Amino acid sequence: MRLSGLGLALALVLCGCGTQPPAAVVSASPVAVVPPAPLPVDNLKQARALASRGDWRAAASFAREALKTKLNESDALEARGILLETSLRIGDYRGARELLAAVTPEESEGLARQQLLLARQALDGGKYPDAILRARTVQEIEPAAHEVLARAYLATNQTELALAELKHVPGSGPQMQLLREEVADRARGRSVELAGRQLSLAQLQAEHGQWGQAAVAARKAGAMFERMGGHKGERALAAFIEAQEAASRGEFKAAARLTSQAVELDPRAEYKTKLTFYQEKDRLLVSRDEIVDVEGFQFPPTIEEGAARDTLYLLGSTPDDPVVGGRELFYDVKKTRFSGSGDAMVNLKTEGPGRDYWNLVFTGPGRADLKPGLYDRAGSEDPDAAALDISGCERGAGHSIGKFQVYEVVYGPKHELQRFAADFVVSADGHKPFFGKVRYHSRYR
């Protein structure tokens, strides 16, 4: 049986085969005899010997010299095999690929078969990094290298990479089917573990009030569990954490939607209670997409509860609005001073942080005293109609129309304003309307 390539080199070295150096020539002549020039094959033998001792760089040097001479097919393959092995031993992965690309297709296939054999031996010996390196080097030439890679990646818990390699493995015999099932099971287990870690991270961040980060982690965990199917309890918890983050931003509509998803997956009492709470909160609030026009706008319900408060809330629907400018503004007594008066009209003033200030004037029809109820067509050209004027922060409008809902208005003995609560929607100078809520010493929300 004839050995060829790198296998022949290693076999000859291990057997101790090789030429002995020529004996010294003794001559009576005073002229020294020049020893014969080394034969071309001597370079290959030196490369083989150095490779057997692990001196790969030196072996590669002799192999290159050998390739400069005329070698038969078997010796040329052996020399290139030593060069390829040197590149892999010293971590020159690019050099190994370039070498395979530079030789003839026949030589490339021969070298690839050698490396595939060594990769399988490394895999059987538990030398997984070595098996991966060799198999990756020749995977484009030897399709069977993908199976070696899949098994090596599986052994090193790189299940995603193992799955990717199995897509390129031909055949569907019993052994391959077992391998595919093992990789799939391991991948599912790994995915569950990673998703569980994400969900635990989200819970921890939520406990510390880090809602933005908690929502990101919960969203990732929920998506991972959904891809795997099942895991309803985990998906419900992920949705509930996202809902709590939305509620922390005052987005109760989104909070209610996410909590509803959680209830569908896991109808526990905690989720149901929060869903009712978020739905009630959403019922009391207004979103920008609800502020379309004055006439069709419906004021949200309100309730009377808690301690009296002074607040002003403004929500603009579009940036071109000359008064609010599409912004969302909120003022309370923590940073804002409120004052009010009432004499045929209600005057409210705020002086807030950053020199923010707002003036609000509510007037009843025919300058009559305001009473709880709805005042529509406010600001119309009719002098007997109700009116509403809002300006502040050096912003205002020359002409505005709107409507407002008064929930509470209480005057003192001298007709001074004691309590006031109203919601309003106003279109300034023909622009899309903005919405507002004002509470002055009022328990209305």
Side-chain angles (χ1 to χ4, degrees), residues 320-344:
D320 61 352
D321 163 35
V323 179
V324 181
R327 296 174 297 170
E328 183 176 21
L329 304 172
F330 178 78
Y331 304 91
D332 61 16
V333 292
K334 293 179 181 179
K335 296 183 179 181
T336 308
R337 185 175 63 180
F338 288 75
S339 61
S341 63
D343 186 6

Side-chain angles (χ1 to χ4, degrees), residues 115-238:
Q115 287 302 318
L116 181 59
L117 176 61
L118 293 171
R120 285 173 171 158
Q121 292 174 352
L123 179 65
D124 293 339
K127 299 177 181 179
Y128 303 118
D130 188 34
I132 291 171
L133 178 61
R134 295 178 186 279
R136 283 183 59 198
T137 304
V138 299
Q139 62 182 340
E140 295 178 2
I141 304 171
E142 276 287 350
H146 291 290
E147 181 182 350
V148 175
L149 284 169
R151 293 184 182 277
Y153 285 139
L154 181 63
T156 53
N157 292 320
Q158 301 180 74
T159 50
E160 294 297 327
L161 293 176
L163 280 172
E165 292 299 330
L166 280 177
K167 296 178 181 178
H168 305 286
V169 177
S172 57
Q175 288 187 343
M176 280 307 305
Q177 185 63 30
L178 287 174
L179 177 60
R180 294 181 191 278
E181 291 176 359
E182 183 179 0
V183 172
D185 290 342
R186 190 82 64 85
R188 279 192 293 269
R190 181 65 173 165
S191 296
V192 170
E193 179 185 356
L194 292 175
R197 288 181 182 178
Q198 281 289 330
L199 189 56
S200 297
L201 176 61
Q203 286 180 283
L204 181 62
Q205 291 168 332
E207 289 173 2
H208 288 81
Q210 300 170 344
W211 291 113
Q213 295 172 330
V216 172
R219 195 172 299 114
K220 289 181 180 178
M224 293 171 71
F225 281 121
E226 186 173 7
R227 284 197 297 270
M228 290 181 281
H231 301 282
K232 290 186 176 181
E234 290 82 355
R235 289 160 58 193
L237 178 56

Side-chain angles (χ1 to χ4, degrees), residues 15-334:
C15 293
C17 300
T19 58
Q20 298 295 326
V25 179
V26 180
S27 174
S29 170
V31 179
V33 178
V34 178
L39 297 174
V41 75
D42 285 348
N43 286 316
L44 183 56
K45 289 181 178 180
Q46 289 291 337
R48 186 184 303 141
L50 290 165
S52 69
R53 296 198 294 269
D55 191 353
W56 291 101
R57 293 183 184 275
S61 179
F62 278 98
R64 290 191 193 92
E65 291 299 321
L67 287 170
K68 293 178 181 179
T69 61
K70 188 174 182 180
L71 299 177
N72 60 41
E73 182 180 341
S74 176
D75 289 341
L77 183 63
E78 180 182 0
R80 290 193 172 90
I82 291 174
L83 290 175
L84 178 60
E85 184 68 14
T86 299
S87 295
L88 294 174
R89 294 273 181 164
I90 66 176
D92 185 10
Y93 176 71
R94 178 180 294 181
R97 298 293 297 272
E98 290 177 351
L99 188 149
L100 287 172
V103 300
T104 64
E106 292 78 11
E107 290 175 322
S108 178
E109 291 174 2
L111 293 171
R113 283 194 296 271
Q114 291 174 355
Q115 287 302 318
L116 181 59
L117 176 61
L118 293 171
R120 285 173 171 158
Q121 292 174 352
L123 179 65
D124 293 339
K127 299 177 181 179
Y128 303 118
D130 188 34
I132 291 171
L133 178 61
R134 295 178 186 279
R136 283 183 59 198
T137 304
V138 299
Q139 62 182 340
E140 295 178 2
I141 304 171
E142 276 287 350
H146 291 290
E147 181 182 350
V148 175
L149 284 169
R151 293 184 182 277
Y153 285 139
L154 181 63
T156 53
N157 292 320
Q158 301 180 74
T159 50
E160 294 297 327
L161 293 176
L163 280 172
E165 292 299 330
L166 280 177
K167 296 178 181 178
H168 305 286
V169 177
S172 57
Q175 288 187 343
M176 280 307 305
Q177 185 63 30
L178 287 174
L179 177 60
R180 294 181 191 278
E181 291 176 359
E182 183 179 0
V183 172
D185 290 342
R186 190 82 64 85
R188 279 192 293 269
R190 181 65 173 165
S191 296
V192 170
E193 179 185 356
L194 292 175
R197 288 181 182 178
Q198 281 289 330
L199 189 56
S200 297
L201 176 61
Q203 286 180 283
L204 181 62
Q205 291 168 332
E207 289 173 2
H208 288 81
Q210 300 170 344
W211 291 113
Q213 295 172 330
V216 172
R219 195 172 299 114
K220 289 181 180 178
M224 293 171 71
F225 281 121
E226 186 173 7
R227 284 197 297 270
M228 290 181 281
H231 301 282
K232 290 186 176 181
E234 290 82 355
R235 289 160 58 193
L237 178 56
F240 185 57
I241 292 174
E242 284 193 76
Q244 290 175 294
E245 186 274 335
S248 72
R249 294 184 284 106
E251 296 290 341
F252 293 104
K253 187 181 293 294
R257 175 178 53 79
L258 289 164
T259 308
S260 178
Q261 294 176 8
V263 170
E264 290 178 4
L265 292 167
D266 185 5
R268 63 175 60 185
E270 179 186 6
Y271 298 163
K272 290 181 177 179
T273 300
K274 278 293 186 181
L275 175 58
T276 301
F277 175 75
Y278 292 150
Q279 287 174 334
E280 180 64 19
K281 282 282 190 179
D282 177 52
R283 205 168 62 88
L284 300 175
L285 296 180
V286 171
S287 61
R288 284 189 172 89
D289 56 7
E290 295 177 86
I291 313 172
V292 179
D293 58 65
V294 171
E295 185 176 355
F297 182 81
Q298 298 293 320
F299 287 109
T302 187
I303 58 177
E304 186 178 5
E305 68 171 14
R309 58 182 62 87
D310 290 351
T311 59
L312 173 63
Y313 175 75
L314 299 171
L315 178 64
S317 58
T318 56
D320 61 352
D321 163 35
V323 179
V324 181
R327 296 174 297 170
E328 183 176 21
L329 304 172
F330 178 78
Y331 304 91
D332 61 16
V333 292
K334 293 179 181 179

Side-chain angles (χ1 to χ4, degrees), residues 358-416:
W358 290 94
N359 298 319
L360 294 85
V361 180
F362 296 84
T363 306
R367 298 181 67 84
D369 287 347
L370 291 171
K371 296 179 181 180
L374 175 64
Y375 295 84
D376 56 4
R377 295 187 299 277
S380 66
E381 299 299 328
D382 185 356
D384 294 327
L388 172 61
D389 180 62
I390 299 176
S391 62
C393 300
E394 300 181 357
R395 301 174 70 95
H399 177 74
S400 62
I401 58 172
K403 62 184 179 180
F404 57 93
Q405 174 82 44
V406 176
Y407 302 105
E408 178 182 36
V409 54
V410 178
Y411 298 100
K414 297 181 180 180
H415 214 74
E416 72 275 14

